[in-house]
Amino acid sequence: MEDSRRPVNPPWIPATPLSGDQLRRLSAVGSETIAAAGEVLFAAGDPSYDLFVVLEGAADVVERSGRAGERLVASYGPAEFLGEVGMLTGQRARFDGVMRQAGRLLRVPVSRVLEVMAQDADLSEYILRTFLERSANLVRRGAGLTVIGSRYDERCRALLQAFALSRIGVDWMDLEDQLDAETLLRNLQVPAGDLPIVLIPGRPLMRNPQPADIAAEFGEPAAPDEAGQDDQGVCDLLVVGGGPGGLAAAVYGASEGLQTVLIDAAAFGGQAGTSSRIENYLGFPAGLSGAELATRGAIQAAKFGVRLHRNARAVAFAAGAGKHTVTCDDGRTFQARDVIVSTGAEYRRLAVPGIDGWEGNGVYYAATVAEARYCLGKPVAVVGGANSAGQAAMFLSRTSNPVYLLVRGPDLEHSMSRYLIDAIEASPNVRVLLQTEVAGISTDTTVTGIEVVDHASGARTGLEIGGLFVFIGATPCTGWLAGQLATDAAGFLLTGHDLPGHDLPGHDLTGQVPGRRPAFPFETSVPGVFCVGDVRAGSVKRVAAAVGEGSAAVRLVFERRRADEVAVI
């Protein structure tokens, strides 16, 4: 009989034990404690928890400790530490930490861990990389949360997508093919109208959760608190959108002394956060994942005092003289003297009859470990010819064979970086089909195949696949602005010299209008509202470019204030 307490296979990718020097440096910010066998170090649902290093004895990380379905996630011995990346970003504990053998522990308060992350480059790198590996494996194995719902329920699919974007491990119990799901619902006395539900260790059951419920549960305050705001509830700088450009703007804004708030509709990282590997980002010769870039950026922003709000989707904007207001879908409002819009762009939906109903159930617009786990060992197709599609194809080729890369154009050279083209050509699992588009889709309980048309020959072919991944075009995320900012014909925001007339009314910080002035680079048609990254018309659509724009926009915020103040005088 299978041991229900065996470690998740593979386990959390156990780290190499801390070196003697690393342990000494951690000891300087922690304290030793004696722990008995069976003692609980932290429990699922705890709002925060400390870092524990085993000095003597052994400790386990356990899912559903002491209850039916208990599962051992990982075990740690001397010089190894318990924890994962959520402890650095304010998320609740999702598992129980329990002493398996009596011994000694080094206990480091999370506040001191954050100090180490900010001041000790060696330890910071070691701890963060270990946490990121553990987090990726939890997502891959679906450990942490349980979602019960039907694959045909749009609300369930949206919920799963939100967790995937937030890089949260989920065990999905599909009502359509898992009998245990219905049994569990009867035991919980949950009617069909309450679906989908989310079971979170140590927390109350969530029934058909709404955006405000998700925001409140995953480390978010119910409303903006007073930190980062003046007496009137107005911050200096509000950054809307936590992709690379938004994260850079928040880091630079706060480091320059601005009271800064950063909000994002899901998790920080944007489209880049879903990339499995970014190979051409300066300073990382081995490449880094989008999740790693996003996590590093969020931790750095918190270090400088940025108020971070995940799961805060902007739905309305109101421009004011010297004060702008952004309203989110859960009712929260944020006010700021200056705003940087970094909401990015979404991939366009594939125009194939009947495809919309299968989004999240065989049709995906991201390729992370969360989506890849549904297609293990199956053929898949990736649609697109730019870097995002190439990165997705290479990532999926690790666990799926073959991977069909469907490209509408005659080659890859005009739209994809050379390093990706070389990798694709060298991969035995990736098959490139040029001048090819999807014309139809076949389904059963999920996607089973597609029909493609070769425009060079006119031939139509059927491909058996277990997943369709789409990375075509881009639609700017500007609907929440309701046309209040000038855009180009495609809906991307115009800035600087691209604005009609090139000049703006000059507002000072008291709301007076002294005259007109030239628009600053990255400034939109509304004074004091700037725009960076993919949502900006004419942007380069590269991670490094977005980071540069975000940092430059902060400097222009100061220039804008100085210019308007001088104009008043």
Side-chain angles (χ1 to χ4, degrees), residues 485-487 493-504 518-520 522-527 529:
L485 276 62
T487 67
L493 297 179
L494 296 172
T495 59
H497 290 297
D498 292 331
L499 287 169
H502 309 315
D503 61 355
L504 301 173
F520 287 102
F522 306 125
E523 191 173 20
T524 70
S525 57
V526 173
V529 179

Side-chain angles (χ1 to χ4, degrees), residues 10-383:
W12 275 17
I13 313 175
T16 303
L18 290 161
S19 68
D21 182 56
Q22 289 174 327
L23 192 53
R24 280 191 293 274
R25 301 205 308 271
L26 265 183
S27 297
V29 295
S31 58
E32 287 193 22
T33 183
I34 302 296
E39 184 173 334
V40 176
L41 307 178
F42 52 84
D46 285 352
S48 65
Y49 57 106
D50 296 334
L51 182 108
F52 289 92
V53 182
V54 178
L55 301 178
E56 294 176 0
D60 291 339
V61 174
V62 182
E63 189 175 24
R64 295 186 289 272
S65 177
R67 300 182 295 279
E70 176 181 330
R71 181 167 59 161
L72 175 64
V73 174
S75 292
Y76 296 103
E80 295 180 336
F81 58 89
L82 291 74
E84 52 99 18
V85 73
M87 75 181 333
L88 303 178
T89 57
Q91 295 184 21
R92 298 179 185 273
R94 299 301 176 201
F95 306 98
D96 299 313
V98 184
M99 287 298 290
R100 175 161 46 89
Q101 298 175 3
R104 290 188 305 120
L105 300 169
L106 175 65
R107 181 171 190 161
V108 184
V110 68
S111 60
R112 303 306 300 273
V113 175
L114 292 172
E115 291 178 14
V116 168
M117 300 298 291
Q119 299 171 7
D120 190 319
D122 171 59
L123 266 178
S124 173
E125 178 67 21
Y126 179 85
I127 292 172
L128 182 57
R129 187 161 295 279
T130 300
F131 281 174
L132 289 168
E133 289 176 341
R134 292 175 180 178
S135 179
N137 200 53
L138 288 173
V139 173
R140 187 178 299 113
R141 299 295 165 180
L145 312 182
T146 300
V147 173
I148 302 178
S150 168
R151 69 183 65 172
Y152 303 118
D153 185 344
E154 184 178 353
R155 296 170 300 176
C156 182
R157 297 197 303 270
L159 191 61
L160 291 170
Q161 183 181 33
F163 285 134
L165 290 173
S166 298
R167 298 177 288 279
I168 296 174
V170 172
D171 178 16
W172 175 29
M173 300 183 70
D174 187 356
L175 282 173
E176 305 306 323
D177 59 13
Q178 291 185 253
L179 296 178
D180 290 348
E182 290 199 18
T183 302
L184 184 54
L185 288 178
R186 285 196 297 270
N187 293 339
L188 294 172
Q189 298 182 333
V190 175
D194 287 352
L195 294 177
I197 64 169
V198 183
L199 303 175
I200 305 173
R203 300 289 295 160
L205 182 150
M206 299 181 74
R207 300 168 184 257
N208 187 20
Q210 302 303 303
D213 304 320
I214 298 297
E217 177 58 37
F218 292 93
E220 303 304 326
D225 53 27
E226 295 179 359
Q229 301 172 344
D230 64 13
D231 293 339
Q232 285 74 45
V234 182
C235 64
D236 291 325
L237 177 64
L238 173 63
V239 182
V240 185
L247 283 167
V251 167
Y252 278 86
S255 67
E256 293 295 327
L258 295 177
Q259 297 170 325
T260 304
V261 174
L262 171 63
I263 66 174
D264 192 90
F268 302 120
Q271 281 191 5
T274 66
S275 297
S276 57
R277 181 63 51 178
I278 303 169
E279 299 280 1
N280 58 350
Y281 191 66
L282 184 66
F284 293 86
L288 78 166
S289 70
E292 181 179 355
L293 176 66
T295 303
R296 289 178 182 274
I299 291 172
Q300 192 174 16
K303 164 187 171 180
F304 287 111
V306 177
R307 302 300 301 171
L308 301 170
H309 295 267
R310 295 173 292 272
N311 301 300
R313 181 180 296 276
V315 294
F317 170 75
K323 181 176 70 175
H324 309 291
T325 302
V326 173
T327 303
C328 297
D329 59 356
D330 60 3
R332 284 182 285 178
T333 60
F334 297 86
Q335 294 183 320
R337 296 180 177 85
D338 288 273
V339 174
I340 295 179
V341 178
S342 179
T343 45
E346 296 178 332
Y347 296 114
R348 288 203 303 267
R349 270 33 188 172
L350 197 62
V352 173
I355 198 173
D356 292 344
W358 299 95
E359 186 173 333
N361 183 26
V363 177
Y364 307 101
Y365 291 87
T368 69
V369 292
E371 291 83 17
R373 63 189 287 252
Y374 298 126
C375 307
L376 292 176
K378 301 177 183 178
V380 299
V382 177
V383 182

Side-chain angles (χ1 to χ4, degrees), residues 393-394 397-398 401 403 421-431:
M394 290 305 301
S397 69
R398 303 175 191 173
N401 184 24
V403 175
I421 297 175
D422 292 341
I424 288 168
E425 291 176 345
S427 173
N429 291 353
V430 181
R431 304 179 187 178

